[in-house]
Amino acid sequence: MRAIWKGAVAFGLVNVPVKLYSATEDHDVKLHQVHGKDGGRIRYQRRCEVCGKVIEYKDIDKAYDDGEQTVILSDDDLASLPVEKNREIDVVEFVPSDQIDPIMFDRSYYLEPDSKSTKAYVLLRKTLEDTDRTAIVKFALRQKTRLAALRVRGDVLMLQTLLWEDEVREASFPSLEENVRISAKEREMSAALVESFSSDFQPDEFTDEYQEQLRTLIEAKIEQGEAVDTEATFGEEGEEEGGKVLDLMEALKRSVEKNREAKKPAGSAAKSKEEPKRKTASKASAKDSGSKEEADAEPAPKRSKAKAQKGA
């Protein structure tokens, strides 16, 4: 990783020199635009609408237009702002960690110690852990003042920039103002459905299926050319369940049953099917065995009187 910013975390008279790194990265397949007919790359040009010339990045400045006049701001103008010159991450306050609404989180960054001694860094990390607090900080990054949460992740301090209060929209939906009656049975069944899905979150168990399929499609096109058989590549799509409008309770019941069946071990279904057969077979063998025993125990038929007299 490459550091994108250097500065220091400052709280009170304590300074913790740090380097800032992006904590996340994009894993999407990189695509670009082309002309569908001949495959020619589509390029965008930065053309000035006054002189008509294509302008290089180094000659481009920013501007503000109020409708009547335009104010041009160069990189030097922006770099001269006092906030931009400040290289400190100022701790404003320490708050209980559960008070920060996750909707406010924006981008994540790692902080690495940037001094020979890591004592101040480790002390700050341990203090946040011991007090279960998150530091609310302010700093300037890429020509913007940032509000951020400084917290602990494993052995590392990390910054998560926060949206400003006026950047979070208020959720106001008239449909949620209606009075809805939920029965105790519905809540009970809904809780059972949640329980049937309960698990510990393991991020490595999830994959981006779209990106995997996109890579498969690209590889198939490289091998087969444009005439790709998508059914052969991805298999036929199964019919999705649905179509019928189910009662809420019925939908909950079916969902619970379906999920319980899905969680059963692979051999349990076959085993349960075999058991009735075994029982039937054992009953049949017991019946045969019983018939044999009865035949063995049956006394020999009595001889007729005539035969007995003749024998005498």
Side-chain angles (χ1 to χ4, degrees):
M1 292 190 291
R2 183 175 62 86
I4 60 173
W5 186 91
K6 286 185 179 183
V9 178
F11 62 106
L13 298 176
V14 178
N15 267 34
V16 185
V18 291
K19 295 178 185 177
L20 191 74
Y21 298 84
S22 291
T24 59
E25 60 185 357
D26 187 3
H27 69 192
D28 290 357
V29 175
K30 306 301 179 187
L31 303 175
H32 57 258
Q33 293 181 323
V34 297
H35 184 196
K37 288 185 177 180
D38 55 24
R41 183 81 175 260
I42 302 298
R43 302 283 183 180
Y44 290 91
Q45 296 179 325
R46 299 169 296 278
R47 191 178 296 277
C48 175
E49 63 181 21
V50 175
C51 66
K53 293 181 180 178
V54 176
I55 310 301
E56 295 183 14
Y57 268 121
K58 64 183 179 65
D59 297 322
I60 296 177
D61 290 325
K62 293 180 174 65
Y64 173 77
D65 188 346
D66 65 358
E68 295 182 1
Q69 59 182 353
T70 300
V71 177
I72 297 175
L73 300 168
S74 67
D75 289 341
D76 291 338
D77 291 333
L78 296 171
S80 68
L81 295 174
V83 171
E84 180 65 17
K85 290 181 177 179
N86 188 355
R87 308 300 290 177
E88 288 190 344
I89 300 171
D90 294 314
V91 175
V92 180
E93 57 188 0
F94 292 93
V95 301
S97 298
D98 59 3
Q99 284 188 0
I100 303 173
D101 189 337
I103 197 174
M104 297 187 70
F105 288 134
D106 191 13
R107 293 184 177 273
S108 300
Y109 301 92
Y110 290 133
L111 293 178
E112 179 194 15
D114 189 25
S115 64
K116 292 181 180 178
S117 173
T118 61
K119 186 171 183 177
Y121 181 98
V122 174
L123 176 61
L124 176 57
R125 188 193 73 206
K126 288 186 177 296
T127 303
L128 291 174
E129 287 177 328
D130 294 343
T131 58
D132 192 20
R133 296 263 167 169
T134 294
I136 301 299
V137 303
K138 289 176 72 176
F139 69 110
L141 177 65
R142 292 170 178 166
Q143 300 173 350
K144 283 187 179 181
T145 300
R146 316 275 178 164
L147 184 69
L150 173 64
R151 66 181 188 85
V152 179
R153 186 176 191 267
D155 293 332
V156 181
L157 287 174
M158 70 176 300
L159 273 181
Q160 285 187 279
T161 54
L162 302 174
L163 299 173
W164 298 96
E165 190 272 338
D166 61 356
E167 292 180 315
V168 179
R169 292 177 175 176
E170 184 181 352
S172 179
F173 304 111
S175 58
L176 294 179
E177 296 174 7
E178 299 175 8
N179 289 324
V180 180
R181 183 180 175 278
I182 305 293
S183 69
K185 190 66 179 174
E186 287 170 335
R187 292 182 68 170
E188 182 184 338
M189 188 59 67
S190 183
L193 180 58
V194 170
E195 183 60 32
S196 71
F197 276 92
S198 295
S199 180
D200 292 324
F201 180 53
Q202 302 291 341
D204 58 353
E205 292 181 358
F206 299 90
T207 57
D208 188 338
E209 294 178 1
Y210 179 84
Q211 292 300 318
E212 288 182 350
Q213 293 172 5
L214 180 57
R215 287 187 175 90
T216 301
L217 178 60
I218 291 170
E219 290 169 5
K221 283 212 165 195
I222 291 172
E223 292 177 4
Q224 305 172 30
E226 292 300 315
V228 173
D229 185 348
T230 53
E231 285 189 6
T233 304
F234 298 107
E236 294 184 10
E237 290 185 6
E239 293 183 7
E240 291 186 3
E241 292 183 10
K244 294 181 181 177
V245 179
L246 299 176
D247 173 73
L248 180 57
M249 274 300 292
E250 183 65 22
L252 288 169
K253 284 179 184 177
R254 289 194 188 183
S255 299
V256 171
E257 290 168 4
K258 183 179 178 181
N259 201 45
R260 283 176 180 167
E261 284 296 321
K263 285 192 173 183
K264 282 184 180 179
S268 62
K271 188 177 178 182
S272 60
K273 287 180 181 179
E274 287 175 7
E275 282 179 358
K277 291 182 181 178
R278 287 178 184 171
K279 286 179 181 178
T280 307
S282 56
K283 281 182 181 178
S285 59
K287 187 177 179 183
D288 293 343
S289 175
S291 302
K292 188 178 179 182
E293 286 174 5
E294 287 172 9
D296 292 342
E298 188 178 347
K302 293 181 179 179
R303 292 180 294 172
S304 63
K305 253 183 189 180
K307 287 184 179 178
Q309 286 172 359
K310 189 180 180 182

